[in-house]
Amino acid sequence: MNRDACRHAIEAIAWPVASLIAALALFGVFVAFYGASPVEAWRLLFVGAFGDAFSWQNSLQRAAPLMLTALTVAIPARAGLIVIGGEGALVVGGFACAAVPYMFAPPSGWMGTLILLSAAAVAGALWIAMAGALRQYRGVNETISSLLFGYIAIALFKHFVEGPMRDPASLNKPSTLPLAEELRIGDIGPFDVHWGLAWGVALCVLGTLWLTFTSHGFATRVVGGNARTAKLVGLPANALIITACALGGAAAGIAGGIEVAAVHMSANASLIVGLGYAGILVSFVARHEPIAIIPVAILFGGFGAAGSMLQRRLGLPDASIQVLLGIAFVIILASETLRGRLPSLRLSARPAQQPVASAAP
Amino acid sequence: MTPDVLFDVVIGVIGGAVRVGAPFLFVSLGECITEKAGRINLGLEGVLVFSAMAGFAGAYWSGSPWIGVLAAGASGALLALLHGLACSLTRVNDIAMGIAIMLLGAGLAFYLGKPLIQPQAPQIPSIFLGEWSTSPTVRAALSINALFPFGIVLAIVMAWAFANTRWGLVIRMVGDSADAARAQGTSVTAVRVAATVAGGFIAGLGGASLSLYYPGSWNEGLSSGQGLIAVALVIFARWRPLNCLWAALLFGGAGAIGPALQSAGIGGGYYLFAALPYALTLLILVVTCSPARTLKGAPMELGMSR
C-alpha cells in the first residue's frame, strides 16, 4: 500500500473513532446535567452492549436491521444521492411480507420465507427507486422526497393494518394476521439471534464486493463521483442511479420483512421505531462503505441495547440514546473538515492511530 | 353529504388552514431567509420539535405563553446556530448536517421534554374573528392563533426587506454569488450564519404554535414532518415570503381535511387524509421542479436547486 492509500485508510478509521469518543464525552456532560454519573453511564453503555453473552445477543439482534437500513443510505450515496427514506422502505417491506399470505398461501418452509422476503425486497426497492426516478427525471431533491415517501408509507401502513387487514383478535395493538409458524425466521443454532443477522452481514459483504469488483459497481461509483464525466464516457447515469436506489430500498425492505418474520410475527406499529433513521447515521459513520457498516451497526445496535439499561439503572429518559446518536452524527459530519489534516502522518502511521486505540474504553 | 355537513367541513378546513398552517408558515419563512443566503437547513424539522418542547417548558414554568414563545424562538435560534457554524466548516455538507440536526433536535426534545408530557401550559390566546356568527362551528373555526397575524406581518416585512433594505440585499447577494460578496468585502460566513440563526428563531415560533396553540400540548408525536414539508414548500413558493403565506394556508387546509371530516362524523380513511399534505408536497415538487434548468427565483449558491 502506498503512503497515500495508507493515509486514507487510517483517516477513514481515525476520524470516526475520534468523533465517537468526542460524542461519548459530550454525552457524559449531558448525563451529568441530568444528575447522573457520566462514568457510570459510559460503563453501562458498554456493559449493556457487550458485557456478557446476553447483551451481545441483544446487540447483534438489534444490529441486523441497522445493517440493512444503513445499506439503503450507503448504496445510493455511492451513486451520489443522499436518500434518507429507509424508514419508509422498511415499513412497506414489512407490510409486503405480512400481506403475502392474504393473497395466496405461500409454501411452508424456507421457500415460503424466501417468497415473503422477496416481496419485502421488491416493495422496498420500488419505494426508494421512485425517489431516484423523480430526481433523475424531474429534478426533485431525493433527500426531501424520500423522507416524504416515508411518511406516506407509514400512513398507508396504518390505514391497512388498522383497517382492512386488521386481525380481529388484535385488540389493543392493531396487527395483521400473524404469520404461520413455518414461515417465521428462527434463531441461528443455539444462539438467541435470528437469521436476519446473517442476511445483514451477507448483503453488506456482497455490497462491497459489488462496488469493488464488478464493472457495474465501478460504473455506479463513477456516476457518484461525477455524473457529468459518467455521461461523457457514455455511462447510463439514470439507469445506474435508479438501480442503486432500488438496491438500497430492497435492503431496507428485507429489513422490514425480517422484523416481521423473525421478531413481531405480524405487521404492527412496533415496526415503526426509527430503525431507518438510525441506519442513516450508521451509513455516514461507515462512510457509505458496505463492509464497514457491519462493525458500526453492531456498535450502534449495542448502544440501543444499552439504552434500556441506562433507563433502568440511572433513570435517564429513553431518548438518551437518541441524544447520543444525534451528537455523534453532528460531530462525525463536522469532522469531515479535518480530513487530510491528521497530524504527524509523515513520520509513521502508528503514532496517529495509537491514541485512538488506547482511548477506546 | 348533506349541505349542512358540507358547510361544517368547509368551515373546518378554512379554520384549520390557519390553525394547521401556522407552523408551516413560520418554518417556511425561516427556511426562506436561510436559503436566500445560500444555505439549506433541513434541520428545521428538528428545530420545530425542539422549540415546541422549549416553548412549552418556558410557558409552563413562567406561566406566560409569551415567554414560552420567546423561549421557543431562542432555542430554535440556538439549534440553527449549531447548524450554521458546522456548515461553515469546509467540506461539511449542509444537507447531511441538516439530517443530523433533525435527529439531534428530536432526540434533545424527547430527552429534555420527558417531564412535560403530562402537565398543561398556558396557551397562546386566540383572536376571535367569528363573533359575527351565531353558529358555534363558525365561531370555533374562526378563532385563530394570535401568532398567525404576526406571521403575516413578518412575511410582508421580509418581502419588503429583501427588495428594499441594505440587509435584504446583502443576504440576497451572499445567496446569489459568494464571490461577488467577498469581492465587496462582505463576510459570507457571517451573513450565512446570521441568516440561519434568524431562520431558526422564526421556525421556533412555528414550534411554539404547535405546543402552545394547536394541538397545544407537548408529546413526542407532535411534529411528523411539518418542518420538512415547509422546507419543500419554499421551493414551491419560489423563495418569495408572500408566496410562503399562501402555500402555508394551502398545506394547512390539506392537513385540516382529515380532522374536519372526522369532526363532521366521517371517520373513514383517517390515515389516508393524514398523508394528504405529504402527497401534495411531492406532487408540487414534481410539477415545479425540472431537471433541465435552474428554478426561477432560486438563490444561485443553493446546491439543491442545481
Side-chain angles (χ1 to χ4, degrees):
Chain A
M1 219 194 278
N2 63 27
R3 184 177 287 171
D4 242 22
C6 195
R7 181 201 179 98
H8 275 301
I10 291 170
E11 282 205 283
I13 296 176
W15 289 128
V17 171
S19 309
L20 279 180
I21 290 169
L24 282 171
L26 257 178
F27 180 64
V29 175
F30 227 86
V31 169
F33 269 118
Y34 209 82
S37 149
V39 179
E40 186 61 9
W42 290 323
R43 200 184 66 80
L44 284 179
L45 264 181
F46 283 88
V47 170
F50 309 110
D52 52 23
F54 172 77
S55 44
W56 262 104
Q57 285 173 2
N58 193 355
S59 303
L60 289 174
Q61 190 103 312
R62 287 165 184 266
L66 289 186
M67 289 178 194
L68 295 166
T69 53
L71 281 176
T72 314
V73 183
I75 296 176
R78 298 303 283 272
L81 268 64
I82 304 183
V83 165
I84 56 172
E87 185 85 0
L90 180 140
V91 165
V92 292
F95 177 74
C97 175
V100 168
Y102 281 75
M103 290 181 283
F104 63 93
S108 54
W110 64 270
M111 265 299 284
T113 311
L114 207 59
I115 290 176
L116 295 190
L117 289 187
S118 309
V122 170
L126 287 176
W127 208 251
I128 300 296
M130 283 196 293
L134 282 184
R135 136 119 182 195
Q136 288 313 110
Y137 295 114
R138 291 300 315 167
V140 175
N141 178 283
E142 76 282 2
T143 311
I144 295 177
S145 72
S146 62
L147 200 51
L148 291 173
F149 274 124
Y151 290 116
I152 294 176
I154 291 172
L156 289 175
F157 178 88
K158 286 185 174 163
H159 174 76
F160 284 107
V161 170
E162 298 186 14
M165 290 171 62
R166 180 171 180 170
D167 173 12
S170 61
L171 295 174
N172 294 326
K173 190 180 210 175
S175 306
T176 55
L177 293 170
L179 289 182
E181 198 79 50
E182 315 79 57
L183 290 173
R184 295 177 185 175
I185 296 176
D187 289 343
I188 305 177
F191 305 107
D192 198 11
V193 180
H194 59 71
W195 279 99
L197 180 67
W199 277 89
V201 172
L203 288 181
C204 284
V205 171
L206 277 178
T208 287
L209 291 179
W210 166 67
L211 281 169
T212 321
F213 295 112
T214 69
S215 55
H216 188 266
F218 178 68
T220 303
R221 284 190 291 141
V222 172
V223 170
N226 188 333
R228 201 162 290 164
T229 311
K231 276 194 178 137
L232 280 177
V233 298
L235 289 173
N238 286 351
L240 286 167
I241 285 176
I242 294 170
T243 308
C245 288
L247 289 174
I254 292 175
I258 288 174
E259 283 297 293
V260 166
V263 184
H264 307 303
M265 309 311 169
S266 65
N268 57 41
S270 313
L271 206 56
I272 311 166
V273 289
L275 290 168
Y277 298 120
I280 304 170
L281 173 58
V282 171
S283 181
F284 270 93
V285 177
R287 291 170 168 265
H288 311 308
E289 181 56 56
I291 198 118
I293 284 175
I294 300 172
V296 178
I298 293 175
L299 180 68
F300 282 109
F303 287 158
S308 54
M309 202 174 235
L310 287 182
Q311 204 181 342
R312 266 198 323 273
R313 298 268 186 88
L314 295 181
L316 294 176
D318 53 356
S320 51
I321 291 298
Q322 224 173 324
V323 172
L324 172 63
L325 298 189
I327 295 174
F329 205 166
V330 170
I331 295 181
I332 277 164
L333 290 176
S335 79
E336 200 71 0
T337 195
L338 295 170
R339 205 140 46 94
R341 298 192 201 165
L342 201 62
S344 73
L345 255 180
R346 238 171 272 147
L347 298 172
S348 140
R350 287 215 146 163
Q353 210 175 14
Q354 251 165 6
V356 166
S358 61
Chain B
M1 209 186 276
T2 64
D4 259 9
V5 175
L6 185 65
F7 178 76
D8 282 358
V9 170
V10 169
I11 285 289
V13 169
I14 292 173
V18 176
R19 212 174 324 124
V20 183
F24 288 133
L25 174 63
F26 286 109
V27 178
S28 62
L29 287 178
E31 185 70 17
C32 184
I33 189 168
T34 310
E35 290 191 9
K36 277 278 190 192
R39 201 173 266 157
I40 297 166
N41 187 359
L42 281 185
L44 285 189
E45 169 72 20
V47 166
L48 188 68
V49 184
F50 183 62
S51 59
M53 184 280 298
F56 192 86
Y60 175 60
W61 281 316
S62 70
S64 155
W66 299 110
I67 289 181
V69 169
L70 278 183
S75 59
L78 203 66
L79 205 55
L81 175 68
L82 177 63
H83 180 78
L85 290 179
C87 292
S88 301
L89 301 168
T90 49
R91 271 196 306 234
V92 173
N93 178 325
D94 54 357
I95 295 213
M97 186 55 80
I99 302 169
I101 297 286
M102 207 188 287
L103 297 180
L104 178 66
L108 284 175
F110 299 167
Y111 183 93
L112 300 171
K114 206 82 227 177
L116 300 172
I117 291 183
Q118 288 300 330
Q120 273 295 313
Q123 299 287 299
I124 296 172
S126 296
I127 297 174
F128 299 100
L129 296 181
E131 292 296 311
W132 48 269
S133 168
T134 48
S135 148
T137 335
V138 173
R139 293 169 73 116
L142 293 186
S143 61
I144 61 167
N145 183 346
L147 270 181
F148 198 83
F150 176 70
I152 298 176
V153 172
L154 190 64
I156 295 169
V157 168
M158 271 172 66
W160 173 79
F162 280 138
N164 296 306
T165 66
R166 182 189 166 80
W167 272 101
L169 291 176
V170 166
I171 289 178
R172 279 169 51 202
M173 173 173 66
V174 168
D176 278 331
S177 168
D179 288 340
R182 275 190 210 102
Q184 212 230 16
T186 306
S187 164
V188 173
T189 306
V191 173
R192 285 191 179 157
V193 171
T196 310
V197 169
F201 187 93
I202 298 170
L205 302 181
S209 6
L210 275 180
S211 64
L212 296 177
Y213 191 80
Y214 179 80
S217 63
W218 162 251
N219 65 69
E220 297 185 355
L222 197 56
S223 165
S224 45
Q226 284 103 316
L228 199 87
I229 289 181
V231 171
L233 215 142
V234 178
I235 302 173
F236 172 50
R238 294 277 190 248
W239 294 269
R240 288 164 181 266
L242 281 177
N243 286 356
C244 287
L245 174 61
W246 309 128
L249 286 173
L250 176 68
F251 277 76
I257 291 178
L261 282 177
Q262 206 181 30
S263 67
I266 305 164
Y270 176 75
Y271 289 114
L272 296 184
F273 283 111
L276 206 59
Y278 309 112
L280 186 64
T281 312
L282 270 171
L283 186 73
I284 277 172
L285 284 176
V286 170
V287 173
T288 54
C289 292
S290 155
R293 58 191 158 79
T294 314
L295 287 173
K296 195 163 162 271
M300 304 294 207
E301 293 276 323
L302 216 54
M304 186 162 60
S305 52
R306 287 192 305 139

